[in-house]
Amino acid sequence: MNDPTLNDLLSYQQPLDDQAFTAQLMQRVQAENRRRWRIMLMFIVLGVLLTLAYLWLLIPAAVWSTLLTPVNGIMLFVTGGFVLWLWTDTLASD
């Protein structure tokens, strides 16, 4: 009985260790979640940096003084944070 196909067909007769299987499955799920968070964080940082570089090159210097008043700065920060939260919340949901 060294045939792997036959051993796979007959493996239902060998009981699984439920605790070992659950532990192994949970480790794989946690590893995939960590990997997904790393990818998501990388894209968030890259997106923020590219957006800041684009705005820095696009907006003339005279606009920065009117754009970054305290109220406008807070509103831009809150809007950007809300968009990031929406994106990460959607990606993090299982």
Side-chain angles (χ1 to χ4, degrees):
M1 285 215 166
N2 291 333
D3 185 21
T5 307
L6 187 58
N7 286 339
D8 284 342
L9 290 173
L10 296 176
S11 66
Y12 69 90
Q13 295 177 352
Q14 300 169 354
L16 287 174
D17 183 13
D18 288 338
Q19 290 178 342
F21 176 74
T22 303
Q24 181 186 11
L25 185 64
M26 291 306 293
Q27 286 176 352
R28 290 177 64 188
V29 167
Q30 288 173 351
E32 287 298 318
N33 280 340
R34 284 191 302 267
R35 180 175 171 260
R36 183 173 54 178
W37 273 104
R38 278 195 309 265
I39 291 170
M40 194 170 57
L41 184 64
M42 181 183 66
F43 277 105
I44 288 171
V45 170
L46 182 65
V48 168
L49 290 178
L50 289 176
T51 301
L52 288 175
Y54 177 74
L55 288 175
W56 186 263
L57 294 174
L58 184 71
I59 297 177
V63 177
W64 283 107
S65 61
T66 58
L67 184 65
L68 291 181
T69 62
V71 174
N72 285 344
I74 290 171
M75 287 182 6
L76 286 172
F77 180 76
V78 168
T79 304
F82 181 68
V83 169
L84 281 175
W85 174 78
L86 283 177
W87 188 49
T88 56
D89 186 51
T90 302
L91 289 177
S93 63
D94 291 332

